[in-house]
Amino acid sequence: MLAEDHYLVREGVRRLLETEPDLEVAAVCGDLDSLLAAVEAERPDVVITDIRMPPGGVDEGIQAAMGLRESHAEIGVVVLSQYVQPNYALALLESGTGGRAYLLKERVEDVEQLVAAIRAVAEGGSVIDPKVVEALVAAKTRSEQSPLNDLTSRERDVLRAMAEGKNNAAIAEALSLTERSVEKVIHSIFLKLDLAWETSVHKRVKAVVLYLADAE
């Protein structure tokens, strides 16, 4: 299901999604009220929503995602946003990372990235836009005392991939490593950052992103 108040953007995204033979756009709408009504009528697997829509044009997409966590926990949500500032992504993750994605609108130009996010949240995974992760890492490393400064370049690469929601297999493929090597690197990262070990990908995402967002 697609919620976007700008007609041209809404139609553009809808047409992109309709090129995927195994995806069906069950409904399109342009404001928060019609989004919630369409959810009740269609019970989609995934909702793709603009971050800001009528009636307030503030953060309706995030409000919808948080509400659906309570009312329809099985529905994944992809929030499309023009904002790199991490506070928006963190608000989305406040009630949990599983089945949630925060993607910059510029990614929509590449339908593969949007479809990958849809598939990830449909399976209970998480996706955080790489630019948002970079902003978090950059802010954290500005502190001389940050443990991030003790990470190797390889560990930083794996940390970014974890925060983006990639599982061990995807990280291994992206960085040309074995899954066993990725697991060892993740253990090292969690030890250096004093984070509790977690095998669940979406819980791992939340731990890393919250760590990165915690100002020194």
Side-chain angles (χ1 to χ4, degrees):
M1 200 190 82
L2 173 62
E4 163 65 60
D5 63 319
H6 193 289
Y7 176 78
L8 292 179
V9 175
R10 184 169 68 239
E11 285 302 294
V13 174
R14 181 181 66 79
R15 291 179 184 181
L16 281 174
L17 293 175
E18 287 178 345
T19 65
E20 296 293 316
D22 61 336
L23 294 183
E24 177 187 357
V25 181
V28 293
C29 48
D31 57 55
L32 179 60
D33 289 341
S34 59
L35 182 161
L36 297 177
V39 164
E40 294 301 327
E42 302 292 343
R43 298 296 175 94
D45 296 312
V46 176
V47 171
I48 306 165
T49 176
D50 190 7
I51 190 171
R52 291 185 171 182
M53 294 181 294
V58 183
D59 63 351
E60 284 75 11
I62 291 174
Q63 291 175 36
M66 294 177 72
L68 291 175
R69 178 73 74 191
E70 297 297 322
S71 62
H72 300 290
E74 74 282 2
I75 296 177
V77 180
V78 178
V79 173
L80 298 179
S81 173
Q82 63 271 41
Y83 303 106
V84 179
Q85 295 94 323
N87 57 299
Y88 289 103
L90 294 171
L92 176 66
L93 305 181
E94 186 175 332
S95 58
T97 55
R100 294 294 179 267
Y102 186 88
L103 209 61
L104 295 181
K105 285 189 174 181
E106 63 193 64
R107 306 292 177 193
V108 173
E109 295 179 4
D110 183 351
V111 68
E112 289 186 4
Q113 294 191 60
L114 177 57
V115 170
I118 293 169
R119 298 192 198 288
V121 300
E123 295 171 0
S126 310
V127 178
I128 306 298
D129 196 281
K131 282 192 176 181
V132 176
V133 175
E134 284 298 328
L136 286 165
V137 171
K140 192 74 171 183
T141 54
R142 281 196 284 269
S143 169
E144 291 182 3
Q145 287 76 38
S146 173
L148 285 184
N149 296 321
D150 297 328
L151 299 184
T152 66
S153 59
R154 175 65 76 198
E155 287 169 343
R156 283 173 180 255
D157 289 341
V158 172
L159 178 74
R160 291 186 184 94
M162 276 197 295
E164 290 164 19
K166 292 184 173 67
N167 60 24
N168 288 11
I171 296 172
E173 181 178 358
L175 300 179
S176 299
L177 297 170
T178 65
E179 289 190 46
R180 178 60 179 160
S181 295
V182 169
E183 186 176 343
K184 288 181 178 179
V185 173
I186 291 173
H187 270 289
S188 177
I189 292 169
F190 273 65
L191 283 172
K192 289 182 179 180
L193 302 187
D194 195 27
L195 292 171
W197 174 251
E198 181 58 69
T199 56
S200 171
V201 172
H202 66 83
K203 289 182 180 178
R204 205 165 66 183
V205 171
K206 187 169 187 178
V208 172
V209 171
L210 290 180
Y211 167 81
L212 291 174
D214 182 30
E216 292 285 345

